């Protein structure tokens, strides 16, 4: 670890901290229907949208109506996405004449982008046409993010309102999230990316002649090896900057290229790298300020932000330290491989990392993208040291509440707030209260349902996969504890709607495409329904005045209790699996054995 590395990490977080308040205040004004500087542009367009779609913007919904609207909207867009993928060969903007996407892969991809997961079991530049990338995938990047923000806003309204049967209007919240928040930010952001060298065009792929021909050996389905000499390379391009902007701001993560944000056409410079990391956290950070403003308790919003910040620094410290250490199998007297940091070399574990980003920015990016449900990567998580790879895995297993995806991170964190307040109430022997609302058995049951669905999906699918060698294990590139980590990471990423991967797992098979698709649906929609149920129940309650037994939710003590609740729930749930995966791999690595 170096002082320069820590300076870059602190600079990144300082930018998030400075921007959290203005972004949060702006979003509170947007969703409370107060006047903003963009009203003159988007208010007429908003009225036109409601007129064309028949939406009554003054009519509010009960939590059940809100949930049904969210599910119907997601189902319709999923089906349309699947159809376009299957028919893309016959559609325009396909200069490479790419074939229709196979049925199981089309299902997996449609579910992935609908749920804001953006898991990619395919190579984008050789699978998806320009039309498919823009009309379906980039479209979902906007609206899956908008749905997440709408769900968070509905929960915050449930906390803030009293004796109300409604939570707002799903169609209005989704429209305003898209028009007032995501669209203008992406317009500016895409231009900044273009200024850094991110490509934006509709040209067919260029073909470059190699200076030195290469001999490539491939193995066909029949098991026979074929050797050929390659003299040219296709240079993929397309409308990248526009998709990259919403990919990061919407915490989607699905890249235009297979190399994702390690590709120089997606992330060419140190500034673009900083910008992409910042854009992952800026809206989730602002949502905590929005929480404080809409509930009339700004200090509570900052207490939640502090809990997220503390967990973030813990993760990046472990990841940076682990990756900055020499590999014990290479740093031996016999091999004479010097992995210490010097002026001439970065030191540590540089496998799977871009030289232009180095260890600090790779570890930081890996932490940020898995704190949020983003999944974009600028390095190969599968190549990290065992403890370095443990950090992204644990970040997702904690529920991605460390800032988290846009909207999803906040409502996931508020579930833990409910549990923390309930625990505090048990400690003092009084009915727990949260911002003037009594937390009763129904709220705790829904919160526990939320926390149980998550591990049941991850551990259940992982266990079934491990018991089917022909379906699950045949796709592994590694055995032993690292192979277990690859499977565990895949289902954790899918259920957590993250989308990153330990890419040693070849997941483009019938089993993984189908099972991961169902895991994504569970992680998005089965977990969103308890959230809305809690919101609806809280909205109906009366406010009760604070009493001597009320636990304040704006103090450092509350932040510590909240962090403890998150870590204890995560440890009790996943430590046995982690001990057989990355923890065991770390111990074996230092004993001189690798897989």
């Amino acid at each position: 670890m170096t002082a320069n590395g820590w300076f870059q990490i602190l600079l990144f977080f300082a930018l998030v901290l400075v921007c959290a308040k203005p972004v949060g205040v702006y979003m509170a004004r947007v969703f409370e229907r107060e006047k903003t500087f963009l009203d003159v542009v988007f208010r007429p367009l908003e009225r036109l949208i409601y007129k064309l779609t028949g939406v009554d913007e003054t009519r509010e919904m009960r939590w059940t109506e809100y949930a049904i609207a969210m599910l119907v909207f997601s189902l319709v867009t999923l089906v349309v996405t699947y159809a376009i993928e299957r028919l893309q060969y016959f559609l325009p903007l396909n200069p490479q004449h790419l074939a229709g996407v196979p049925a199981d892969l089309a299902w997996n991809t449609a579910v992935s982008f609908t749920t804001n997961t953006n898991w990619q079991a395919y190579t984008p530049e050789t699978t998806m046409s320009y039309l498919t990338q823009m009309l379906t995938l980039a479209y979902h990047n906007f609206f899956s993010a908008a749905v997440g923000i709408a769900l968070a806003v509905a929960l915050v309204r449930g906390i803030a309102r009293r004796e109300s049967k409604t939570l707002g209007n799903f169609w209005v919240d989704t429209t305003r999230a898209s028009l007032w928040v995501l669209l203008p930010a992406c317009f500016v952001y895409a231009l900044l990316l273009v200024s850094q060298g991110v490509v934006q065009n509709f040209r067919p792929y260029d073909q470059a002649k190699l200076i030195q021909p290469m001999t490539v050996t491939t193995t066909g389905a029949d098991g026979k090896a074929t050797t050929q000499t390659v003299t040219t390379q296709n240079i993929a391009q397309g409308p990248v900057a526009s998709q990259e902007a919403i990919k990061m701001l919407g915490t989607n993560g699905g890249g235009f290229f297979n190399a994702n944000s390690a590709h120089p056409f997606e992330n060419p410079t140190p500034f673009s790298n900083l910008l992409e990391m910042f854009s992952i956290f800026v809206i989730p950070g602002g949502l905590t300020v929005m929480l404080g403003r809409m509930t009339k308790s700004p200090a509570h919003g900052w207490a939640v932000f502090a809990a997220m910040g503390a967990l973030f620094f813990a993760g990046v410290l472990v990841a940076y330290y682990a990756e900055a250490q020499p590999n014990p199998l290479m740093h031996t007297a016999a091999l004479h491989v010097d992995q210490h940091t010097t002026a001439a070399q970065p030191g540590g574990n540089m496998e799977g990392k871009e030289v232009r980003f180095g260890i600090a920015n790779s570890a930081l990016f890996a932490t940020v993208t898995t704190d949020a449900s983003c999944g974009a990567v600028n390095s190969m998580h599968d190549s990290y040291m065992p403890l370095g790879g443990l950090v992204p895995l644990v970040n997702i297993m904690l529920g991605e509440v460390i800032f988290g995806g846009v909207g999803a991170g906040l409502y996931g964190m508020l579930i833990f707030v409910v549990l923390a307040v309930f625990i505090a109430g048990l400690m003092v022997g009084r009915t727990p209260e949260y911002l003037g609302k009594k937390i009763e058995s129904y709220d705790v049951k829904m919160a526990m349902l939320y926390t149980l669905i998550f591990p049941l999906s991850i551990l259940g699918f992982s266990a079934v996969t491990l018991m089917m060698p022909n379906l699950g294990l045949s796709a592994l590139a590694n055995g032993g504890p690292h192979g277990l980590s690859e499977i565990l990471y895949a289902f954790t990423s899918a259920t957590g709607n993250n989308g990153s991967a330990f890419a040693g797992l070849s997941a483009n098979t019938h089993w993984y495409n189908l099972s991961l698709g169902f895991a994504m649906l569970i992680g998005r929609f089965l977990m969103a329904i308890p959230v809305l149920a809690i919101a609806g129940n809280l909205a109906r309650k009366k406010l009760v005045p604070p009493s001597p037994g009320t636990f304040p939710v704006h103090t450092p003590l509350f932040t510590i209790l909240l962090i403890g609740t998150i870590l204890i729930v995560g440890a009790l749930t996943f430590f046995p699996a982690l001990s057989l995966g990355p923890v065991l791999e770390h111990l074996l690595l230092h004993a001189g054995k690798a897989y």
Side-chain angles (χ1 to χ4, degrees):
M1 295 191 291
T2 65
N4 181 53
W6 278 110
F7 170 76
Q8 293 178 71
I9 292 170
L10 293 173
L11 173 64
F12 157 76
F13 192 77
L15 288 173
V16 175
L17 181 62
V18 168
C19 294
K21 184 173 182 179
V23 170
V25 170
Y26 172 74
M27 286 193 292
R29 295 183 66 87
V30 168
F31 293 108
E32 289 185 320
R33 309 299 296 270
E34 297 177 10
K35 188 175 182 180
T36 71
F37 68 97
L38 288 177
D39 285 7
V40 65
V41 177
F42 291 118
R43 185 59 182 146
L45 180 58
E46 182 187 28
R47 290 196 186 101
L48 177 61
I49 291 172
Y50 298 150
K51 185 175 181 180
L52 294 175
T53 57
V55 172
D56 180 1
E57 62 178 311
T58 62
R59 180 183 177 276
E60 295 205 343
M61 300 176 174
R62 298 172 182 265
W63 80 263
T64 50
E65 295 177 276
Y66 206 99
I68 291 171
M70 181 264 296
L71 292 173
V72 170
F73 174 74
S74 300
L75 175 62
V76 171
T77 55
L78 188 155
V79 172
V80 171
T81 300
Y82 177 84
I84 291 176
E85 288 181 71
R86 297 284 285 150
L87 298 171
Q88 73 173 7
Y89 180 79
F90 304 100
L91 299 174
L93 287 178
N94 186 7
Q96 301 307 120
H97 306 292
L98 298 175
V101 181
D104 60 316
L105 180 59
W107 146 262
N108 181 277
T109 306
V111 170
S112 176
F113 280 78
T114 302
T115 58
N116 198 242
T117 307
N118 296 58
W119 173 274
Q120 293 175 294
Y122 58 90
T123 302
E125 58 265 44
T126 60
T127 308
M128 301 295 178
S129 70
Y130 292 165
L131 182 74
T132 303
Q133 294 266 29
M134 293 189 303
L135 187 60
T136 60
L137 306 188
Y139 163 86
H140 273 300
N141 285 350
F142 275 96
F143 282 100
S144 64
V147 168
I149 294 173
L151 292 173
V153 170
L155 179 56
V156 173
R157 286 200 192 106
I159 297 168
R161 291 182 176 183
R162 53 183 175 180
E163 299 181 73
S164 173
K165 296 180 180 180
T166 60
L167 297 174
N169 187 303
F170 170 79
W171 308 112
V172 173
D173 291 339
T174 305
T175 302
R176 295 184 74 83
S178 301
L179 290 181
W180 268 263
V181 180
L182 297 173
L183 190 61
C186 286
F187 181 80
V188 176
Y189 185 12
L191 293 178
L192 286 174
L193 290 176
V194 169
S195 75
Q196 295 301 298
V198 178
V199 299
Q200 180 75 14
N201 61 44
F202 291 102
R203 292 176 53 183
Y205 296 173
D206 288 329
Q207 192 172 76
K209 187 174 182 179
L210 299 182
I211 297 176
Q212 182 177 349
M214 297 179 61
T215 301
V216 178
T217 301
T218 58
T219 303
D222 55 0
K224 294 182 178 180
T226 302
T227 302
Q228 59 179 337
T229 301
V230 178
T231 59
T232 61
Q233 178 182 354
N234 283 335
I235 306 299
Q237 54 204 300
V240 180
S242 56
Q243 185 163 324
E244 189 73 14
I246 187 57
K247 155 193 161 183
M248 309 306 286
L249 272 170
T251 58
N252 295 281
F256 196 95
F257 301 106
N258 192 42
N260 207 275
S261 286
H263 197 292
F265 281 0
E266 286 197 31
N267 188 9
T269 68
F271 178 71
S272 70
N273 191 64
L274 174 63
L275 191 62
E276 290 187 14
M277 291 188 293
F278 167 76
S279 62
I280 296 173
F281 267 15
V282 65
I283 294 179
L287 284 169
T288 62
V289 177
M290 184 196 77
L291 165 69
R293 183 178 173 90
M294 290 179 67
T295 58
K296 306 297 188 290
S297 180
H300 173 57
W302 286 113
V304 172
F305 184 97
M308 294 177 173
L311 290 169
F312 158 74
F313 275 111
V316 76
L317 172 63
V318 174
Y320 188 17
Y321 173 80
E323 294 308 298
Q325 302 307 304
N327 187 320
L329 296 185
M330 298 178 64
H331 191 68
T332 62
L335 292 178
H336 301 291
V337 177
D338 184 7
Q339 291 184 289
H340 287 107
T341 303
T342 66
Q345 66 177 22
N349 176 35
M350 277 297 292
E351 181 187 350
K353 299 178 179 66
E354 285 291 305
V355 175
R356 68 185 189 275
F357 300 139
I359 290 175
N361 276 286
S362 298
L364 176 59
F365 203 112
T367 304
V368 169
T369 195
T370 51
D371 281 339
S373 62
C374 185
V377 296
N378 75 346
S379 59
M380 182 63 69
H381 294 181
D382 200 38
S383 298
Y384 276 38
M385 301 295 287
L387 294 185
L390 175 70
V391 171
L393 185 55
V394 168
N395 284 344
I396 307 173
M397 285 179 168
L398 292 179
E400 289 181 312
V401 297
I402 311 170
F403 294 97
V406 286
L410 179 62
Y411 68 65
M413 178 61 87
L414 291 177
I415 294 296
F416 282 105
V417 168
V418 169
L419 294 177
V421 169
F422 174 68
I423 292 170
L426 292 179
M427 289 179 178
V428 299
R430 296 179 62 91
T431 302
E433 299 170 13
Y434 174 44
L435 295 177
K437 304 284 185 71
K438 288 187 179 294
I439 301 299
E440 297 169 322
S441 62
Y442 180 86
D443 306 303
V444 177
K445 288 176 182 176
M446 289 297 103
M448 288 308 303
L449 179 61
Y450 179 96
T451 57
L452 288 174
I453 289 171
F454 189 62
L456 283 174
S457 173
I458 295 170
L459 299 177
F461 277 117
S462 297
V464 171
T465 300
L466 289 167
M467 291 189 296
M468 297 189 302
N470 293 332
L471 291 179
L473 303 185
S474 60
L476 286 175
N478 300 276
H482 193 76
L484 172 62
S485 296
E486 290 176 342
I487 292 174
L488 193 62
Y489 196 107
F491 287 105
T492 302
S493 179
T495 307
N497 299 142
N498 183 274
S500 63
F502 270 18
L505 174 69
S506 300
N508 190 9
T509 67
H510 290 296
W511 165 250
Y512 281 110
N513 281 334
L514 294 174
S515 60
L516 290 170
F518 283 112
M520 295 172 206
L521 291 173
I522 290 170
R524 179 69 162 188
F525 300 116
L526 287 190
M527 294 177 70
I529 292 173
V531 169
L532 290 173
I534 292 174
N537 196 49
L538 290 176
R540 287 193 293 267
K541 295 182 180 182
K542 298 179 181 179
L543 289 179
V544 295
S547 67
T550 300
F551 182 67
V553 293
H554 59 272
T555 63
L557 180 60
F558 166 76
T559 299
I560 293 171
L561 178 63
L562 179 57
I563 293 172
T565 302
I566 294 167
L567 294 178
I568 290 171
V569 170
L572 290 175
T573 307
F574 293 110
F575 181 75
L578 293 172
S579 65
L580 295 174
V583 174
L584 178 58
E585 185 185 1
H586 172 75
L587 297 175
L588 291 174
L589 184 66
H590 282 268
K593 189 171 183 179
Y595 290 90

